Amino acid sequence: MNAELEQESSDFLAVVPTPLQRSLSIIVPTFNERLNVIPLLEGLRTSLHGQDWEAIFVDDDSPDGTAPLLRELAQNDPRIRCITRVGRRGLSSACIEGMFASSAPYVAVIDADMQHDERLLAQMHQMLQAGEVDIVIGSRYVAGGGVCHWRTHRVLISRLATGLSARLLNIKLTDPMSGFFMMRREVLVGAVDRLSGLGFKILVDLFTSHERPLRFVELPYQFRNRHAGDSKLDSGVAWDYVLLLLAKSLDRLVLGRFLAFSSVGAIGVLVHFAVLACLHKWLTVPFAAAQATAIAVAMVSNFTLNNELTYRDVRVRGVFAWWRALLKFFAVCLVGAALNMGLATWLYQLSSTWWQSALAGIVAGSVWNFILSKSAIWGR
Ligand code: GDD
Ligand code: MN
């Protein structure tokens, strides 16, 4: 803030009758939760007794009248607020908008249906105030946590989703699917430029969007049964999750690398023709031998350029490691060439035009080369 603005704001605050310094905002996304709102608020009052908190409900115009009830309650308790969104749906985006509607230094997210254990909130708040961590997460999968009465298929789906986020996005949480956590508001500020807001899984979104690794703690809790009403989890939620995984994996430098990798591939084609022309045209080396040499030279050139440019930050160093990586690159590209050849021939026989078949082969071969060389050579 510049000096003038600072002065103005302190003049302004000097005449505010009772300063309201909310330390904690609890964001509650709701869709058809009319019967759960009062039990939840009672739980919050009890477990946060004596602390300075507010609850911000973000309701997507629930047909059951959740919002009118909330507004009525808010008339009598200034700690309650309700944001209504019309013509929109989405759990993550509701949470993000709720957080932005708060000015508190700490923000929590909790479901309205009493499945999360609101008694943890006070402890979460204390841990954050101590300053050692950025975010405290309620987890069902650390010792002491659990789920009551979940059917096996739901447990399996939850495990699968967790495994995917660990593998693809490198998230090291036991329960990244959790929708129950508290964090400093800087976490939101540091992540907001890259947040996708897609779907149900805000925590995965936050962890992959933040500019630096987040310091976190997980607290165990028992995931309870829903107090009233029905879950909104459906197959659309799974689809949204796949989209989020895709968006975030592509996001993680991969798209930029793929473009760099493809440009190197295009340079490789030029190198190939240059070598072929020299050997075959000018030095009259027989075609097969000239072509084989050109392939080898182009591969070495591609490998070197990728190692020095595309993967500069993780490049392979040392003579032995370099040769080993080159051999791996040869192996990957040979299979890529076979894939290219096989697909193109097959499409051509299915009566695609020659250039369509060739293009499909080239794309498949490049994607193969890119993915495999990344995981075999530069992926660690
Ligand atoms: N505003 C808004 N918009 N709120 C929504 C929407 C929406 O489109 N969809 C769901 N909600 C609210 C619900 O009203 C509830 O308060 C909360 O989001 C969670 O929705 P549930 O339908 O209760 O989800 P769940 O019980 O299947 O999933 C829960 O478990 C997951 C872990 O397995 C949620 O807590 C998830 O956050 C959690 O990750
Ligand atoms: Mn629920």
Side-chain angles (χ1 to χ4, degrees):
M1 245 194 282
N2 66 35
E4 201 180 330
L5 187 55
E6 209 160 332
Q7 184 58 43
E8 255 179 57
S9 90
S10 81
D11 291 351
F12 173 78
L13 292 174
V15 292
V16 174
T18 40
L20 284 178
Q21 297 167 333
R22 297 271 184 242
S23 172
L24 171 62
S25 294
I26 297 154
I27 315 301
V28 192
T30 56
F31 191 75
N32 286 346
E33 305 286 3
R34 186 180 166 85
L35 296 177
N36 293 322
V37 161
I38 293 175
L40 175 71
L41 283 167
E42 275 170 355
L44 295 180
R45 273 185 192 167
T46 314
S47 49
L48 293 168
H49 183 76
Q51 304 197 32
D52 195 10
W53 60 275
E54 68 180 346
I56 302 179
F57 290 83
V58 187
D59 184 66
D60 285 352
D61 203 17
S62 305
D64 76 345
T66 307
L69 170 66
L70 284 167
R71 284 194 286 268
E72 204 180 306
L73 298 170
Q75 283 293 308
N76 298 295
D77 186 341
R79 291 176 302 188
I80 302 172
R81 288 164 59 195
C82 174
I83 297 173
T84 302
R85 305 194 304 173
V86 179
R88 312 215 355 233
R89 280 294 303 274
L91 177 48
S92 285
S93 62
C95 295
I96 295 167
E97 284 171 44
M99 291 190 237
F100 271 121
S102 139
S103 59
Y106 304 104
V107 283
V109 173
I110 191 169
D111 285 3
D113 56 7
M114 303 297 283
Q115 292 194 278
H116 296 154
D117 191 342
E118 74 289 346
R119 289 168 303 179
L120 284 185
L121 288 167
Q123 190 187 350
M124 291 174 160
H125 194 197
Q126 274 168 9
M127 294 176 100
L128 288 173
Q129 283 171 318
E132 301 287 299
V133 288
D134 300 310
I135 182 163
V136 185
I137 300 151
S139 168
R140 299 163 289 175
Y141 304 127
V142 285
V147 283
C148 358
H149 312 304
W150 257 21
R151 273 168 296 181
T152 358
H153 78 271
R154 177 113 201 232
V155 177
L156 287 179
I157 291 173
S158 174
R159 292 279 174 185
L160 175 70
T162 302
L164 282 173
S165 78
R167 285 241 134 207
L168 294 176
L169 304 176
N170 203 19
I171 296 182
K172 305 251 164 20
L173 297 172
T174 60
D175 194 1
M177 302 302 119
S178 177
F180 179 35
F181 56 89
M182 190 186 295
M183 64 192 201
R184 346 179 137 268
R185 78 168 307 105
E186 291 95 81
V187 174
L188 178 66
V189 176
V192 70
D193 288 341
R194 298 177 61 212
L195 274 179
S196 82
L198 272 171
F200 249 51
K201 298 308 168 193
I202 173 96
L203 204 54
V204 170
D205 206 356
L206 280 171
F207 268 75
T208 49
S209 299
H210 206 277
E211 54 211 8
R212 64 172 166 79
L214 295 173
R215 299 167 305 163
F216 65 90
V217 173
E218 297 180 295
L219 296 180
Y221 78 100
Q222 287 290 333
F223 192 80
R224 299 182 291 219
N225 287 327
R226 195 171 235 285
H227 178 75
D230 302 312
S231 167
K232 280 90 215 171
L233 197 81
D234 57 14
S235 51
V237 169
W239 175 241
D240 282 343
Y241 185 60
V242 171
L243 286 185
L244 179 68
L245 285 177
L246 265 179
K248 287 298 174 182
S249 342
L250 290 179
D251 212 36
R252 294 179 78 219
L253 295 176
V254 172
L255 198 59
R257 299 251 204 223
F258 184 67
L259 291 179
F261 190 86
S262 309
S263 314
V264 167
I267 295 173
V269 174
L270 298 181
V271 170
H272 183 111
F273 274 101
V275 173
L276 187 63
C278 278
L279 292 179
H280 182 60
K281 273 271 231 204
W282 296 336
L283 304 175
T284 61
V285 175
F287 180 78
Q291 170 76 354
T293 315
I295 290 176
V297 174
M299 275 191 197
V300 174
S301 136
N302 282 2
F303 172 76
T304 312
L305 288 176
N306 279 318
N307 197 41
E308 294 301 319
L309 300 176
T310 315
Y311 292 107
R312 185 173 181 74
D313 50 336
V314 286
R315 69 173 173 271
V316 178
R317 295 156 203 265
V319 181
F320 179 69
W322 194 90
W323 279 101
R324 208 173 59 150
L326 179 68
L327 288 181
K328 281 188 188 168
F329 190 74
F330 264 63
V332 166
C333 292
L334 280 179
V335 181
L339 186 71
N340 177 342
M341 184 73 194
L343 183 68
T345 327
W346 180 66
L347 287 177
Y348 188 70
Q349 279 162 3
L350 285 181
S351 76
S352 298
T353 61
W354 62 269
W355 63 268
Q356 283 170 333
S357 315
L359 198 63
I362 290 171
V363 169
S366 315
V367 171
W368 165 276
N369 289 350
F370 176 68
I371 293 176
L372 269 282
S373 66
K374 182 176 188 308
S375 71
I377 302 167
W378 294 291
R380 304 233 176 119

